[in-house]
Amino acid sequence: MASDILLEATGIAKHYGAVVALRNASLSVRRGEVHALMGANGAGKSTLVKILTGAIRPNGGRILIDGREHVVRSPAEARRAGLVSVYQEPALIPDLDIASNLRLTATPVEPFMKWVREMGVPDLDLRETARNLPLAILRVLDLARAIAVGPEVLLLDEMTAALPADLAEKVLAVVKRQGAEGRSVIFISHRMLEISALCDRATVLRDGETVGVVDIGPGSADRIVELMLGQKVERIQREIAEATPGAPLPVTKPRLSLRDVGVAGKLEGVSFDLMHGEVLGVVALEGQGQDELFGVLSGSRRPTAGSLAVDGREVRFATPADAIAEGIALIPGDRAEALLMQRSVRENVALPFSASFRHWGPIPLRRQNAVVGEAIRRLQVDTRAQREVQRLSGGNQQKVTIARWIAAEASTILCFDPTRGIDIRTKHEIYHLLRELAGQGASVLLYTSELEEVQLACDRAIVIFGGRVVDVIPAAIADEPTLVRAAYGLPRLAPGAAAPLPGATA
Amino acid sequence: MTDVTQRSPAPGLGRRIRRVFSDRPVIPLLILLAILMVVLEILRPGIVNERWIANTVKFAIPLAILAACQTVTMLTGGIDLSVGTVATLGAFVVSTQGMDAGLGWALLLSLAPALLIGIANGIGVGIFRVHPLIMTLGTSLIGVGFLQVYQRTVIATGTKVPDVLAWIGTGLTGGIPNSLIVFVPVAAFILFMLGRSGFGRLLYAVGDNERAARLSGVIYWKVILALYILSGILAWIAGLIYVGLIKAPSLSLVEPRVLPAVAAAVIGGTSIFGGRGGYLGTIVGAVILTVLATLLTVLQMPEGARQMLFGLIVLAVTAAYIRITADS
């Protein structure tokens, strides 16, 4: 059995200072196998990929390719060792023509053209500048270029994410043939259906460790989800039981209504209502269109389709100022995007007060200080280092961004992953605050990458997958397994039913 | 602040001084100014007297106003290199139109190019996102070209600096420069604007983090447009004072003062990257540069060596100042 292992990584560890990205990751890929690498956000998937491809160096562990140990110091070395990767973004140099791009990586033209034709592009002109080709073709070229050098191991990282369905199918067929021809493929994807259709086995990472290898077959999707979540589920369940249950949502009117909202290529046909007094969760894997959704709602980005209504009145936002005028404020995921790092806590909180032309004159300091001080007290911002916000801790910085909109009395708050990288106590203070705001009639849209937050803070959650809303789940049943399944585009389990075959209902 | 002190009850003297400096960045500048004056007095005993001080103030005032343009634009991460042209245009128009058109009309007419260039700068930087350095340099060159044509057309009429401007620029009343009549309200306005007005807050906000400002509802181009118009008006005022001070309007009346004005703002602690600084430091910076110029004149060095020394001192002072006032 050992002889047919083509790539074997064992005991891979990587830490950045005190932060451990990988503890003990292992991956073993057989010859001729399509092998999925799975893991929730922050499990260490991308770190492992970077180590395999030589982009970063591990602190420990061994990588064997075909039985020989390799120290991979750069992507070029990984290539020589027989491992070639294709990423989500096009890799051809846009200002060179295709022929030059091929010469750059010493790719033989004949096999390249053969694979390009194979994937349904019959008449490619090698003199064409890469920039002039459509994105979908570029993806085909990336894959063809990788396969043409005849790699031992092909690593595909979210390669199908940006592809239209018909092309994805062709690409997957080619990938499957690689396996059949005795080469190995490491396949990373958020799409569970692709994985069940394509892969032979899956390695699951959790908290920087390999927690299991699953043979793909009936029921394997559930097994993978289970492994990805691990013991976490029980702990969270306890926390949720301890959290004060919110009163049942009174029937209210919609505050914000979206109808068929789309952003070219990223978001399509999104319709939902955000009610008065509701905290609505948004759950999605990375890059499923949630950034665009929040951009549209906050006025930073214009939708290419659909309509948006506030309290039943249709609106169009050209700038964030327009959204703010309607009482809609964004708390962005990156705190550095929201804060004036060199200015004081008070000035940061008071910023929206001076924004409009009418308030460019003298500042009514006494009145403003009262309002700002009240918001700072309510959020219990630690004001010891208040002269410059950059000296505050991450949690306190986040509180400042929230205090800003409490002082400004925004009635609709769009929170994009507000608790990322924040200590647990502050997290709970923020959940509590969001609930309190909702209790006072405000509406909150909360995108979160930490799924337990849905039950800790939300009334309902919408799930976005591939730019579409695929499910709306009441908080009562939105436990992590349910949300993960939905986020991976899998159908919801009927209560008590046996796990259906993945793909059976598609 | 008090909390920080409580946490470390007995800081060393050096750290305490640093803390005072970083809280009140004007103090080290005032100390430097005092040192320069002492050096001057040692080199040429008796030079630092009432008359010398009045003279220094007279020259420092228009420089401080030009430096105000740089301070406010630099707070947003910008710069205004068109101030020299704007000031010269203002001075030129007022001294050619002052004779037949009447002073009020001439002043109004001389304000027009300042407003035009300010608006053009504001639109270019705020809406078309041209880099301020390029934008203001461009409008400056256009202004200079206009000025050359204008000079030729009015060459027959000759120039006359209006008496009022001469009185403001050079006059003393009881030993005190008359230009303070203009400067005190201008400085008070800018200090109040930066410290206590909504517009001032936005200048800092836009310079510190434009995206954050937008997300708070700030409309960037409005702020930038108003800013560069303000800068144009300030440059116009500086031009009127200069023409009253020098009394000979020429094409190179103000241009050589533009970069010293930038230096004054930088020495005064305003960051060219935006978001940090203030006008009080700029005023002291302008005075320091003026005193420095006298000092170098007193040394009786050749012009070239003087320029080199001036540049070196500006660099050294700025570097030292940033170090002294940095957070401990």
Side-chain angles (χ1 to χ4, degrees), chain A residues 17-358:
Chain A
V19 182
V20 178
L22 280 181
R23 204 179 305 276
N24 178 21
S26 58
L27 177 66
S28 169
V29 183
R30 293 180 192 143
R31 190 177 294 281
E33 168 182 58
V34 182
H35 193 108
L37 183 59
M38 310 283 300
N41 291 339
K45 215 169 35 183
S46 52
T47 308
L48 182 57
V49 168
K50 283 184 190 152
I51 287 171
L52 289 177
T53 54
I56 57 175
R57 302 198 51 189
N59 300 111
R62 302 200 309 157
I63 298 172
L64 297 160
I65 297 176
D66 219 2
R68 274 183 303 129
E69 180 157 0
H70 279 267
V71 182
V72 187
R73 283 191 210 86
S74 68
E77 246 176 71
R79 226 176 127 86
R80 279 197 293 279
L83 190 142
V84 176
S85 30
V86 181
Y87 298 102
Q88 191 173 344
E89 298 301 322
L92 295 182
I93 295 174
D95 288 317
L96 294 182
D97 60 21
I98 307 302
S100 308
N101 263 299
L102 294 179
R103 268 199 297 281
L104 210 58
T105 48
T107 308
V109 176
E110 271 315 303
F112 170 78
M113 288 306 281
K114 178 178 109 54
W115 286 111
V116 168
R117 280 192 296 273
E118 193 92 1
M119 284 183 276
V121 184
D123 46 1
L124 178 74
D125 184 354
L126 285 176
R127 284 164 306 180
E128 187 66 81
T129 307
R131 187 185 292 287
N132 299 336
L133 292 168
L135 180 67
I137 303 288
L138 288 177
R139 306 312 333 246
V140 166
L141 300 188
D142 279 334
L143 182 59
R145 188 170 66 151
I147 299 174
V149 297
E152 299 275 345
V153 184
L154 186 64
L155 192 150
L156 305 178
D157 189 359
E158 304 281 1
M159 137 129 230
T160 54
L163 289 184
D166 53 330
L167 201 64
E169 218 166 281
K170 280 185 184 131
V171 166
L172 292 180
V174 167
V175 170
K176 193 147 184 107
R177 263 187 46 199
Q178 295 299 304
E181 288 173 9
R183 301 210 176 94
S184 306
V185 180
I186 299 172
F187 189 75
I188 299 169
S189 170
H190 282 321
R191 300 183 185 178
M192 200 68 92
L193 289 179
E194 279 180 2
I195 286 169
S196 7
L198 187 69
C199 299
D200 303 302
R201 294 191 303 157
T203 291
V204 182
L205 286 177
R206 186 180 69 229
D207 298 334
E209 249 174 301
T210 296
V211 289
V213 181
V214 179
D215 288 315
I216 302 292
S220 57
D222 294 297
R223 176 87 188 110
I224 289 171
V225 169
E226 211 173 280
L227 281 170
M228 283 199 288
L229 299 174
Q231 298 305 311
K232 210 170 151 203
V233 179
E234 285 164 35
R235 178 177 63 76
I236 299 302
Q237 224 87 67
R238 220 171 33 246
E239 246 175 65
I240 290 164
E242 283 162 13
T244 42
L249 185 63
V251 180
T252 58
K253 286 188 182 149
R255 161 75 180 145
L256 205 57
S257 309
L258 287 79
R259 292 293 170 264
D260 289 319
V261 169
V263 170
K266 296 287 190 182
L267 209 58
E268 210 184 323
V270 170
S271 304
F272 65 86
D273 290 326
L274 172 62
M275 315 299 282
H276 282 274
E278 178 186 40
V279 181
L280 178 63
V282 176
V283 171
L285 302 167
E286 251 165 66
Q288 300 300 313
Q290 63 269 41
D291 301 86
E292 287 75 16
L293 174 65
F294 276 72
V296 165
L297 294 180
S298 65
S300 311
R301 182 190 273 270
R302 285 181 213 213
T304 49
S307 66
L308 188 62
V310 175
D311 288 327
R313 199 165 23 83
E314 189 163 321
V315 290
R316 269 171 213 283
F317 299 151
T319 61
D322 294 344
I324 290 165
E326 294 286 351
I328 302 170
L330 172 72
I331 295 173
D334 184 1
R335 287 184 291 279
E337 223 178 284
L339 290 173
L340 313 174
M341 287 295 179
Q342 307 175 71
R343 309 306 299 173
S344 69
V345 170
R346 280 177 179 278
E347 227 178 292
N348 267 283
V349 173
L351 181 55
F353 290 125
S354 304
S356 80
F357 185 69
R358 281 178 297 135

Side-chain angles (χ1 to χ4, degrees), chain B residues 85 88-90 92-93 109-110 112-114 116-117 138-154 251:
Chain B
T85 305
T88 309
L89 269 167
F92 221 84
V93 171
L109 208 62
S110 67
L116 275 177
I117 291 183
T139 51
S140 175
L141 291 174
I142 294 170
V144 168
F146 173 79
L147 199 51
Q148 280 170 352
V149 175
Y150 180 75
Q151 188 193 29
R152 234 168 279 154
T153 61
V154 297
L251 286 183

Side-chain angles (χ1 to χ4, degrees), chain A residues 336-337 339 342 360-361 363, chain B residues 196 198-199 208-209 211 276 327:
Chain A
E337 223 178 284
L339 290 173
Q342 307 175 71
W360 281 12
I363 296 169
Chain B
R196 291 288 159 85
F199 181 66
D208 188 310
N209 188 342
R211 168 94 178 133
R276 204 188 265 266
D327 299 327

